[in-house]
Amino acid sequence: MSMIHTAAATRGRAHTASAISVSDVSHTYGARTAGGMLALDGINLEIGDGEFHCLLGPSGCGKSTLLYLIGGFIPVQAGVISTSAGPVTAPGPDRSIVFQNFALFPWKTVKDNVLYGLKKAGFAAAEREQRAQRYIDMVHLTGFENAYPSQLSGGMQQRAAIARTLAVDPGILLMDEPFGALDAQTRRVMQEELRTIWRDSRKTVVFVTHDVQEAVFLADRISIMSARPGRIQHVIDVDLPKDRGEEILENRAFIGLSEHIWRLVREQAVAATRGAH
Ligand SMILES: Nc1ncnc2c1ncn2[C@@H]1O[C@H](COP(=O)(O)OP(=O)(O)OP(=O)(O)O)[C@@H](O)[C@H]1O
Ligand SMILES: [Mg+2]
């Protein structure tokens, strides 16, 4: 596995600092018209500097909405979101996102997609080339640099999108079900790779997933959201060794915690189904 070393790795981690602070955030779609839909209701969440935080919850509970708000892609209507750079009012260079639906430019090749992000982030031309190749290799797309998204499988497109986001080395990494389209084997490799990157670069990660096992494998802490309108129902510490490989799946604490979380998520999923009828 590649080891990614970044400037951030030498900066060290301030355990007490909050990288992301979400206070009293609610969000209504169609707020200006009658019959607006409350998607998030009074979210409070403190995510520590260098923490790997997973958001779990039933479909439609507002996970993507919360991630977009933190990313600054949709305006905060009620409450406050701040990072160490100040209140979030727009996208910024400290935050980078992997969208749920990949969002690659279809008219650009894999390499040009990755280069685009680097250019926008202000990297010098020589470094852009070097970084683009390094991250394309890391997501196992070597040889596909000149392919267009339409020539790739869904999983390959997703890996290209991940390379584009990781290459700019943001302090805060927002990931919206990034591994959802991958086959089980690739997914496992990417999970391990992501934890390695996170550990070496000390990034703060907010990672949305439906997959309880994936959340327990990756996270330091897990927030379980309620069915719509989304609220934070439980915040759970994942008290497992930092070094996690395949063997952790057999670990009793891992299995016990996964089952516990699965029960909590299931309660919300059942509530969501009831709400839909
Ligand atoms: N642009 C929009 N306009 C109106 N309603 C929206 C919009 N985007 C999302 N919603 C609604 O807001 C709620 C929350 O959506 P969101 O996409 O944040 O949920 P999610 O938890 O990410 O779901 P999933 O797990 O299916 O990705 C849903 O009921 C959705 O239909
Ligand atoms: Mg979503």
Side-chain angles (χ1 to χ4, degrees), residues 29 37 39 57-66 100 177 210 228:
Y29 283 106
M37 205 269 304
S59 186
C61 76
K63 302 181 295 298
S64 295
T65 303
L66 182 53
Q100 190 165 5
E177 306 202 40
H210 272 111
R228 200 180 76 204

Side-chain angles (χ1 to χ4, degrees), residues 110 133 136-137 140-148 151-152 156:
V110 166
Q133 194 60 53
I136 287 169
D137 293 346
H140 309 290
L141 284 176
T142 317
F144 292 92
E145 291 83 353
N146 299 318
Y148 288 90
Q151 298 172 304
L152 303 175
M156 292 165 92

